[in-house]
Amino acid sequence: MADSFMGKAATMEIPINSNGETLAEDDSLEQDLQQVMVSGPNLNETSIVSGGYGGPAGGVIPTSSIKELRMKSRGQAVGLASSHSAASRISNQNQTSQPFTGSGMHHSNSNQNMSAEETNRGVAVEKLDSVKKWGINTYKCTKQMFSERFGRGSRTVDLELEAQIEVLRDTKRKYESVLRLTSAMTSHFYNMVQTQQALGDAFADLSQKSPELRDEFGYNAETQKLLCKNGEALLGAINFFVSSINTLVNKTMEDTLMTIKLYEAARLEFDAYRADLEELSLGPRDTATMVRIEVAQQQYQVQRDKYERLRSDVTIKLKFLEENKVKVMHKQLLLFHNAISAYFAGNQQQLEQTLRQFNVKLKPPGSDKPSWLEES
Protein backbone atom coordinates (compact mmCIF):
# COMPACT_ATOMS: atom_id res chain seq x y z
CA MET A 1 0.00 0.00 0.00
CA ALA A 2 2.91 2.25 0.71
CA ASP A 3 4.33 1.44 -2.68
CA SER A 4 1.12 2.36 -4.45
CA PHE A 5 0.96 5.60 -2.59
CA MET A 6 4.53 6.42 -3.61
CA GLY A 7 3.70 5.57 -7.18
CA LYS A 8 0.79 7.88 -7.20
CA ALA A 9 2.86 10.58 -5.59
CA ALA A 10 5.50 10.25 -8.29
CA THR A 11 2.95 10.94 -11.01
CA MET A 12 1.22 13.92 -9.29
CA GLU A 13 1.98 17.54 -10.24
CA ILE A 14 3.27 19.18 -7.12
CA PRO A 15 3.28 23.03 -7.28
CA ILE A 16 6.37 24.65 -5.88
CA ASN A 17 7.28 28.20 -5.07
CA SER A 18 10.25 30.19 -6.21
CA ASN A 19 12.34 28.79 -3.33
CA GLY A 20 11.51 25.20 -4.13
CA GLU A 21 9.15 24.80 -1.15
CA THR A 22 6.08 22.67 -1.70
CA LEU A 23 2.61 24.24 -1.56
CA ALA A 24 -0.21 22.22 -0.11
CA GLU A 25 -2.85 21.13 -2.52
CA ASP A 26 -6.09 22.96 -1.96
CA ASP A 27 -8.96 22.57 -4.40
CA SER A 28 -11.06 25.21 -2.69
CA LEU A 29 -8.18 27.65 -2.86
CA GLU A 30 -7.86 27.12 -6.59
CA GLN A 31 -11.61 27.66 -7.08
CA ASP A 32 -11.52 30.81 -4.93
CA LEU A 33 -8.60 32.17 -6.87
CA GLN A 34 -10.38 31.52 -10.15
CA GLN A 35 -13.47 33.31 -8.82
CA VAL A 36 -11.31 36.22 -7.70
CA MET A 37 -9.66 36.38 -11.13
CA VAL A 38 -13.10 36.50 -12.77
CA SER A 39 -15.16 38.75 -10.46
CA GLY A 40 -12.72 40.11 -7.93
CA PRO A 41 -10.76 43.35 -7.99
CA ASN A 42 -7.93 43.97 -10.39
CA LEU A 43 -4.73 42.69 -8.86
CA ASN A 44 -2.75 45.37 -10.65
CA GLU A 45 -4.47 47.95 -8.47
CA THR A 46 -3.82 46.22 -5.14
CA SER A 47 -0.97 46.84 -2.75
CA ILE A 48 0.33 43.25 -2.95
CA VAL A 49 3.65 43.02 -4.79
CA SER A 50 6.00 40.10 -5.49
CA GLY A 51 9.23 42.07 -5.50
CA GLY A 52 11.23 43.82 -2.83
CA TYR A 53 8.76 46.69 -2.22
CA GLY A 54 7.52 45.74 1.21
CA GLY A 55 6.59 42.10 0.45
CA PRO A 56 8.12 38.94 1.94
CA ALA A 57 11.83 38.34 1.42
CA GLY A 58 12.80 36.69 -1.79
CA GLY A 59 9.39 37.44 -3.37
CA VAL A 60 7.68 34.59 -1.47
CA ILE A 61 3.92 34.91 -1.02
CA PRO A 62 2.95 32.73 1.96
CA THR A 63 -0.13 30.60 2.04
CA SER A 64 -1.56 32.66 4.87
CA SER A 65 -1.36 35.80 2.70
CA ILE A 66 -3.14 34.02 -0.11
CA LYS A 67 -5.86 32.91 2.29
CA GLU A 68 -6.22 36.47 3.54
CA LEU A 69 -6.40 37.63 -0.07
CA ARG A 70 -9.09 35.02 -0.70
CA MET A 71 -11.14 36.22 2.28
CA LYS A 72 -10.77 39.87 1.24
CA SER A 73 -11.67 39.02 -2.33
CA ARG A 74 -14.75 37.18 -1.19
CA GLY A 75 -15.78 40.11 0.98
CA GLN A 76 -15.18 42.61 -1.83
CA ALA A 77 -17.13 40.46 -4.30
CA VAL A 78 -20.03 40.18 -1.89
CA GLY A 79 -19.89 43.93 -1.19
CA LEU A 80 -19.82 44.78 -4.88
CA ALA A 81 -22.75 42.45 -5.56
CA SER A 82 -24.78 43.85 -2.68
CA SER A 83 -24.03 47.45 -3.64
CA HIS A 84 -24.89 46.70 -7.26
CA SER A 85 -28.21 45.12 -6.28
CA ALA A 86 -28.98 48.01 -3.88
CA ALA A 87 -28.23 50.57 -6.59
CA SER A 88 -30.44 48.63 -8.99
CA ARG A 89 -33.30 48.63 -6.46
CA ILE A 90 -32.93 52.36 -5.82
CA SER A 91 -32.82 53.09 -9.56
CA ASN A 92 -35.92 50.98 -10.14
CA GLN A 93 -37.72 52.72 -7.29
CA ASN A 94 -36.82 56.14 -8.67
CA GLN A 95 -37.93 55.15 -12.14
CA THR A 96 -41.23 53.75 -10.93
CA SER A 97 -41.95 56.57 -8.50
CA GLN A 98 -40.82 59.51 -10.64
CA PRO A 99 -43.98 59.83 -12.80
CA PHE A 100 -46.14 59.85 -9.70
CA THR A 101 -44.19 62.23 -7.41
CA GLY A 102 -42.59 65.53 -8.43
CA SER A 103 -41.58 65.11 -12.06
CA GLY A 104 -44.76 66.72 -13.42
CA MET A 105 -44.45 69.70 -11.10
CA HIS A 106 -40.77 70.03 -11.96
CA HIS A 107 -41.51 70.03 -15.70
CA SER A 108 -44.40 72.49 -15.28
CA ASN A 109 -42.28 74.85 -13.17
CA SER A 110 -39.44 74.64 -15.67
CA ASN A 111 -41.87 75.36 -18.51
CA GLN A 112 -43.29 78.35 -16.63
CA ASN A 113 -39.79 79.66 -15.90
CA MET A 114 -38.83 79.24 -19.54
CA SER A 115 -41.96 81.03 -20.73
CA ALA A 116 -41.38 83.86 -18.23
CA GLU A 117 -37.77 84.19 -19.35
CA GLU A 118 -38.83 84.23 -22.99
CA THR A 119 -41.43 86.92 -22.25
CA ASN A 120 -38.92 89.06 -20.37
CA ARG A 121 -36.37 88.56 -23.12
CA GLY A 122 -38.94 89.60 -25.73
CA VAL A 123 -39.86 92.74 -23.78
CA ALA A 124 -36.19 93.63 -23.35
CA VAL A 125 -35.48 93.15 -27.05
CA GLU A 126 -38.51 95.26 -27.92
CA LYS A 127 -37.39 98.08 -25.65
CA LEU A 128 -33.87 97.88 -27.02
CA ASP A 129 -35.19 98.14 -30.58
CA SER A 130 -37.37 101.15 -29.69
CA VAL A 131 -34.43 102.89 -28.00
CA LYS A 132 -32.24 102.14 -31.00
CA LYS A 133 -34.83 103.53 -33.42
CA TRP A 134 -35.32 106.61 -31.24
CA GLY A 135 -31.56 107.21 -31.13
CA ILE A 136 -31.17 106.92 -34.90
CA ASN A 137 -34.17 109.18 -35.51
CA THR A 138 -32.91 111.78 -33.03
CA TYR A 139 -29.48 111.79 -34.62
CA LYS A 140 -30.89 112.27 -38.11
CA CYS A 141 -33.25 115.07 -37.03
CA THR A 142 -30.53 116.87 -35.05
CA LYS A 143 -28.19 116.66 -38.01
CA GLN A 144 -30.90 118.05 -40.31
CA MET A 145 -31.75 120.86 -37.89
CA PHE A 146 -28.14 122.04 -37.65
CA SER A 147 -27.74 121.74 -41.40
CA GLU A 148 -30.76 124.01 -41.93
CA ARG A 149 -29.61 126.47 -39.27
CA PHE A 150 -26.14 126.85 -40.75
CA GLY A 151 -27.44 126.97 -44.32
CA ARG A 152 -25.97 123.69 -45.52
CA GLY A 153 -29.19 121.71 -45.84
CA SER A 154 -32.44 122.18 -47.73
CA ARG A 155 -35.92 122.13 -46.21
CA THR A 156 -39.39 121.52 -47.57
CA VAL A 157 -41.48 124.71 -47.53
CA ASP A 158 -45.20 125.21 -48.17
CA LEU A 159 -45.33 128.98 -48.65
CA GLU A 160 -49.09 129.34 -48.34
CA LEU A 161 -49.34 127.20 -45.24
CA GLU A 162 -46.34 128.87 -43.62
CA ALA A 163 -47.96 132.29 -44.15
CA GLN A 164 -51.19 131.12 -42.52
CA ILE A 165 -49.29 129.73 -39.56
CA GLU A 166 -47.42 132.98 -39.09
CA VAL A 167 -50.70 134.94 -39.21
CA LEU A 168 -52.17 132.65 -36.57
CA ARG A 169 -49.22 133.16 -34.24
CA ASP A 170 -49.38 136.91 -34.66
CA THR A 171 -53.15 136.88 -34.07
CA LYS A 172 -52.68 134.81 -30.92
CA ARG A 173 -50.15 137.32 -29.55
CA LYS A 174 -52.55 140.21 -30.15
CA TYR A 175 -55.51 138.37 -28.65
CA GLU A 176 -53.41 137.57 -25.58
CA SER A 177 -52.74 141.30 -25.22
CA VAL A 178 -56.48 142.05 -25.43
CA LEU A 179 -57.11 139.33 -22.84
CA ARG A 180 -54.59 140.84 -20.41
CA LEU A 181 -56.05 144.35 -20.82
CA THR A 182 -59.67 143.30 -20.36
CA SER A 183 -58.70 141.20 -17.33
CA ALA A 184 -56.98 144.23 -15.82
CA MET A 185 -60.04 146.36 -16.63
CA THR A 186 -62.30 143.81 -14.91
CA SER A 187 -60.12 143.87 -11.81
CA HIS A 188 -60.08 147.68 -11.63
CA PHE A 189 -63.78 148.01 -12.35
CA TYR A 190 -64.59 145.42 -9.69
CA ASN A 191 -62.66 147.48 -7.15
CA MET A 192 -64.57 150.58 -8.24
CA VAL A 193 -67.94 148.81 -7.84
CA GLN A 194 -66.93 147.64 -4.38
CA THR A 195 -65.95 151.20 -3.50
CA GLN A 196 -69.27 152.53 -4.79
CA GLN A 197 -71.14 150.00 -2.70
CA ALA A 198 -69.19 150.95 0.42
CA LEU A 199 -69.72 154.64 -0.31
CA GLY A 200 -73.45 154.12 -0.77
CA ASP A 201 -73.64 152.31 2.58
CA ALA A 202 -71.77 155.16 4.24
CA PHE A 203 -74.14 157.77 2.75
CA ALA A 204 -77.16 155.78 3.89
CA ASP A 205 -75.78 155.55 7.43
CA LEU A 206 -75.06 159.27 7.58
CA SER A 207 -78.54 159.98 6.23
CA GLN A 208 -79.95 158.26 9.30
CA LYS A 209 -77.63 160.01 11.71
CA SER A 210 -77.68 163.53 10.21
CA PRO A 211 -81.25 164.85 10.12
CA GLU A 212 -80.20 168.19 8.68
CA LEU A 213 -78.53 166.44 5.66
CA ARG A 214 -80.82 163.47 5.39
CA ASP A 215 -82.08 164.25 1.89
CA GLU A 216 -78.66 165.04 0.45
CA PHE A 217 -77.08 161.91 1.88
CA GLY A 218 -80.11 159.95 0.77
CA TYR A 219 -79.82 161.10 -2.87
CA ASN A 220 -76.15 160.19 -3.05
CA ALA A 221 -76.76 156.83 -1.40
CA GLU A 222 -79.41 155.93 -4.01
CA THR A 223 -77.14 157.10 -6.84
CA GLN A 224 -74.21 154.96 -5.64
CA LYS A 225 -76.43 151.93 -5.19
CA LEU A 226 -77.77 152.34 -8.74
CA LEU A 227 -74.25 152.71 -10.10
CA CYS A 228 -73.21 149.65 -8.14
CA LYS A 229 -76.09 147.64 -9.60
CA ASN A 230 -75.28 148.72 -13.15
CA GLY A 231 -71.60 148.11 -12.49
CA GLU A 232 -72.35 144.52 -11.48
CA ALA A 233 -74.28 144.08 -14.74
CA LEU A 234 -71.33 145.49 -16.70
CA LEU A 235 -68.94 143.24 -14.80
CA GLY A 236 -71.06 140.27 -15.83
CA ALA A 237 -70.79 141.28 -19.48
CA ILE A 238 -67.03 141.89 -19.27
CA ASN A 239 -66.43 138.59 -17.48
CA PHE A 240 -68.37 136.79 -20.20
CA PHE A 241 -66.21 138.54 -22.82
CA VAL A 242 -62.98 137.61 -20.99
CA SER A 243 -64.05 133.99 -20.59
CA SER A 244 -64.85 133.65 -24.30
CA ILE A 245 -61.54 135.24 -25.34
CA ASN A 246 -59.66 132.98 -22.93
CA THR A 247 -61.31 129.87 -24.43
CA LEU A 248 -60.53 131.04 -27.95
CA VAL A 249 -56.89 131.84 -27.20
CA ASN A 250 -55.82 129.16 -24.71
CA LYS A 251 -57.88 126.24 -25.99
CA THR A 252 -58.93 126.60 -29.62
CA MET A 253 -55.83 128.39 -30.90
CA GLU A 254 -53.54 126.37 -28.66
CA ASP A 255 -54.96 123.12 -29.98
CA THR A 256 -54.27 124.24 -33.54
CA LEU A 257 -50.75 125.30 -32.58
CA MET A 258 -50.09 121.88 -31.05
CA THR A 259 -51.04 120.28 -34.36
CA ILE A 260 -48.73 122.76 -36.08
CA LYS A 261 -45.86 121.68 -33.79
CA LEU A 262 -46.47 118.05 -34.73
CA TYR A 263 -46.52 119.08 -38.38
CA GLU A 264 -43.20 120.92 -38.06
CA ALA A 265 -41.60 117.94 -36.31
CA ALA A 266 -42.86 115.65 -39.09
CA ARG A 267 -41.49 118.06 -41.67
CA LEU A 268 -38.06 117.95 -40.00
CA GLU A 269 -38.09 114.13 -39.93
CA PHE A 270 -39.21 114.01 -43.54
CA ASP A 271 -36.35 116.26 -44.64
CA ALA A 272 -33.86 114.29 -42.52
CA TYR A 273 -34.77 110.98 -44.17
CA ARG A 274 -34.95 112.66 -47.57
CA ALA A 275 -31.40 114.00 -47.14
CA ASP A 276 -30.24 110.56 -45.98
CA LEU A 277 -31.73 108.92 -49.06
CA GLU A 278 -30.18 111.50 -51.35
CA GLU A 279 -26.77 110.99 -49.74
CA LEU A 280 -26.96 107.22 -50.18
CA SER A 281 -28.10 107.60 -53.79
CA LEU A 282 -24.97 109.60 -54.62
CA GLY A 283 -22.63 106.89 -53.25
CA PRO A 284 -21.39 103.63 -54.80
CA ARG A 285 -23.96 101.05 -55.88
CA ASP A 286 -22.62 97.86 -54.32
CA THR A 287 -24.80 95.17 -52.73
CA ALA A 288 -24.65 96.55 -49.18
CA THR A 289 -25.40 100.07 -50.37
CA MET A 290 -28.39 98.91 -52.42
CA VAL A 291 -29.84 97.24 -49.35
CA ARG A 292 -29.37 100.43 -47.34
CA ILE A 293 -30.95 102.46 -50.13
CA GLU A 294 -33.99 100.18 -50.15
CA VAL A 295 -34.41 100.53 -46.38
CA ALA A 296 -33.96 104.31 -46.61
CA GLN A 297 -36.56 104.45 -49.39
CA GLN A 298 -39.10 102.68 -47.18
CA GLN A 299 -38.41 104.99 -44.23
CA TYR A 300 -38.64 108.00 -46.50
CA GLN A 301 -42.06 106.89 -47.74
CA VAL A 302 -43.30 106.42 -44.17
CA GLN A 303 -42.13 109.90 -43.16
CA ARG A 304 -43.61 111.40 -46.30
CA ASP A 305 -47.04 109.90 -45.58
CA LYS A 306 -46.88 111.21 -42.01
CA TYR A 307 -45.88 114.66 -43.23
CA GLU A 308 -48.67 114.81 -45.79
CA ARG A 309 -51.26 113.67 -43.25
CA LEU A 310 -50.26 116.30 -40.68
CA ARG A 311 -50.12 119.02 -43.31
CA SER A 312 -53.69 118.18 -44.27
CA ASP A 313 -54.72 118.26 -40.58
CA VAL A 314 -53.15 121.69 -40.10
CA THR A 315 -54.88 123.08 -43.19
CA ILE A 316 -58.28 121.85 -42.01
CA LYS A 317 -57.80 123.13 -38.46
CA LEU A 318 -56.69 126.55 -39.67
CA LYS A 319 -59.80 126.79 -41.78
CA PHE A 320 -62.16 125.86 -38.95
CA LEU A 321 -60.28 128.09 -36.51
CA GLU A 322 -60.74 131.10 -38.74
CA GLU A 323 -64.47 130.44 -39.08
CA ASN A 324 -64.86 129.91 -35.34
CA LYS A 325 -62.82 133.01 -34.51
CA VAL A 326 -64.97 135.24 -36.71
CA LYS A 327 -68.19 133.86 -35.25
CA VAL A 328 -67.07 134.16 -31.61
CA MET A 329 -65.49 137.59 -31.92
CA HIS A 330 -68.47 139.03 -33.80
CA LYS A 331 -70.74 138.12 -30.88
CA GLN A 332 -68.33 139.13 -28.12
CA LEU A 333 -67.36 142.48 -29.62
CA LEU A 334 -71.01 143.39 -30.08
CA LEU A 335 -71.72 142.46 -26.45
CA PHE A 336 -68.77 144.46 -25.17
CA HIS A 337 -69.72 147.56 -27.18
CA ASN A 338 -73.41 147.57 -26.23
CA ALA A 339 -72.72 146.92 -22.53
CA ILE A 340 -70.07 149.66 -22.22
CA SER A 341 -72.21 152.16 -24.14
CA ALA A 342 -75.34 151.47 -22.06
CA TYR A 343 -73.47 151.67 -18.77
CA PHE A 344 -71.71 154.97 -19.38
CA ALA A 345 -74.85 156.43 -20.97
CA GLY A 346 -76.74 155.53 -17.82
CA ASN A 347 -79.25 153.52 -19.79
CA GLN A 348 -80.16 150.76 -17.37
CA GLN A 349 -82.83 149.25 -19.60
CA GLN A 350 -80.49 148.92 -22.58
CA LEU A 351 -77.85 147.35 -20.36
CA GLU A 352 -80.28 144.75 -19.04
CA GLN A 353 -81.56 144.10 -22.56
CA THR A 354 -77.98 143.52 -23.76
CA LEU A 355 -77.42 140.93 -21.06
CA ARG A 356 -80.63 139.12 -21.98
CA GLN A 357 -79.75 139.24 -25.68
CA PHE A 358 -76.43 137.45 -25.15
CA ASN A 359 -77.67 135.12 -22.38
CA VAL A 360 -75.36 136.58 -19.77
CA LYS A 361 -76.34 135.40 -16.32
CA LEU A 362 -75.25 137.47 -13.35
CA LYS A 363 -73.97 135.93 -10.17
CA PRO A 364 -76.18 136.48 -7.14
CA PRO A 365 -74.98 139.17 -4.74
CA GLY A 366 -72.48 137.89 -2.22
CA SER A 367 -71.53 134.79 -4.23
CA ASP A 368 -67.93 135.97 -4.46
CA LYS A 369 -67.65 136.37 -0.71
CA PRO A 370 -66.09 133.48 1.25
CA SER A 371 -68.35 131.39 3.43
CA TRP A 372 -68.27 131.57 7.20
CA LEU A 373 -66.35 128.30 7.25
CA GLU A 374 -63.59 129.82 5.07
CA GLU A 375 -63.52 132.97 7.16
CA SER A 376 -63.17 130.96 10.35
Side-chain angles (χ1 to χ4, degrees):
M1 183 174 182
D3 295 334
S4 63
F5 175 76
M6 292 300 293
K8 291 180 179 179
T11 59
M12 290 176 61
E13 293 182 1
I14 302 174
I16 58 174
N17 59 9
S18 60
N19 293 328
E21 296 178 357
T22 305
L23 292 175
E25 182 179 0
D26 193 350
D27 295 333
S28 61
L29 175 61
E30 183 178 359
Q31 293 176 0
D32 292 338
L33 288 176
Q34 291 178 357
Q35 181 179 0
V36 169
M37 293 299 293
V38 174
S39 62
N42 191 356
L43 294 178
N44 293 330
E45 297 177 359
T46 62
S47 61
I48 300 176
V49 294
S50 60
Y53 295 94
V60 178
I61 302 177
T63 307
S64 60
S65 300
I66 297 176
K67 290 182 178 180
E68 292 176 359
L69 177 61
R70 180 189 65 185
M71 298 299 294
K72 291 181 181 179
S73 300
R74 286 180 179 177
Q76 290 176 357
V78 171
L80 288 173
S82 61
S83 63
H84 178 71
S85 62
S88 300
R89 288 196 300 272
I90 293 173
S91 177
N92 293 330
Q93 290 177 359
N94 291 333
Q95 290 178 359
T96 56
S97 62
Q98 185 176 3
F100 300 96
T101 56
S103 61
M105 296 177 62
H106 177 71
H107 287 303
S108 63
N109 291 332
S110 62
N111 291 334
Q112 291 178 359
N113 293 333
M114 290 178 63
S115 62
E117 290 179 359
E118 290 177 357
T119 303
N120 295 333
R121 190 180 297 110
V123 172
V125 170
E126 205 173 311
K127 289 183 178 180
L128 184 61
D129 290 339
S130 63
V131 171
K132 182 179 178 181
K133 291 179 181 178
W134 174 83
I136 294 174
N137 185 70
T138 304
Y139 168 74
K140 292 180 181 295
C141 293
T142 305
K143 179 181 177 182
Q144 177 65 23
M145 182 177 62
F146 278 103
S147 298
E148 293 177 3
R149 183 166 298 179
F150 291 104
R152 293 195 298 266
S154 60
R155 63 186 298 263
T156 304
V157 179
D158 189 334
L159 296 178
E160 183 179 358
L161 188 59
E162 293 290 337
Q164 293 178 1
I165 292 173
E166 188 59 33
V167 168
L168 172 61
R169 287 174 173 159
D170 184 64
T171 302
K172 185 174 183 292
R173 287 191 294 266
K174 292 179 179 179
Y175 275 53
E176 287 174 344
S177 177
V178 171
L179 183 60
R180 285 193 300 268
L181 292 174
T182 52
S183 298
M185 179 182 177
T186 303
S187 177
H188 297 324
F189 194 75
Y190 174 79
N191 293 330
M192 189 184 75
V193 170
Q194 295 298 315
T195 304
Q196 288 175 343
Q197 184 176 2
L199 186 59
D201 293 339
F203 285 157
D205 184 61
L206 288 172
S207 175
Q208 297 295 329
K209 296 179 180 180
S210 302
E212 67 279 4
L213 296 174
R214 177 178 300 174
D215 294 337
E216 288 79 0
F217 278 124
Y219 296 151
N220 283 278
E222 292 295 331
T223 302
Q224 294 301 320
K225 288 182 180 179
L226 181 60
L227 290 174
C228 181
K229 181 180 179 181
N230 294 337
E232 289 177 352
L234 180 61
L235 276 175
I238 297 176
N239 284 329
F240 188 76
F241 177 83
V242 171
S243 177
S244 300
I245 299 298
N246 181 64
T247 302
L248 178 64
V249 172
N250 294 322
K251 291 185 178 181
T252 308
M253 290 184 179
E254 189 64 28
D255 178 70
T256 305
L257 288 174
M258 286 298 297
T259 306
I260 290 173
K261 289 180 181 179
L262 294 176
Y263 157 74
E264 290 176 344
R267 197 277 310 163
L268 183 63
E269 291 179 357
F270 167 68
D271 284 336
Y273 283 93
R274 177 183 55 80
D276 188 32
L277 179 61
E278 291 176 354
E279 184 178 354
L280 289 174
S281 300
L282 296 176
R285 295 302 182 93
D286 54 359
T287 305
T289 306
M290 292 302 297
V291 173
R292 293 177 60 188
I293 289 175
E294 184 178 357
V295 173
Q297 181 69 35
Q298 295 175 357
Q299 295 174 346
Y300 165 79
Q301 188 63 38
V302 171
Q303 296 299 327
R304 181 178 180 180
D305 295 339
K306 180 180 178 181
Y307 167 73
E308 294 290 343
R309 183 179 68 255
L310 285 172
R311 183 174 66 175
S312 177
D313 292 344
V314 170
T315 304
I316 294 172
K317 283 197 172 186
L318 285 173
K319 180 181 179 181
F320 284 118
L321 175 61
E322 185 65 23
E323 295 176 357
N324 188 30
K325 182 191 71 173
V326 172
K327 186 186 298 184
V328 169
M329 292 308 299
H330 175 77
K331 177 181 177 180
Q332 296 302 319
L333 290 173
L334 187 60
L335 167 66
F336 191 81
H337 174 267
N338 292 343
I340 292 290
S341 300
Y343 174 80
F344 285 102
N347 193 340
Q348 183 180 0
Q349 294 180 354
Q350 184 180 357
L351 181 59
E352 293 176 353
Q353 183 181 357
T354 300
L355 297 180
R356 289 193 299 268
Q357 178 184 356
F358 293 97
N359 297 321
V360 179
K361 296 181 180 180
L362 299 178
K363 294 181 180 180
S367 61
D368 294 335
K369 296 181 180 179
S371 63
W372 62 274
L373 287 174
E374 295 175 346
E375 290 178 352
S376 61

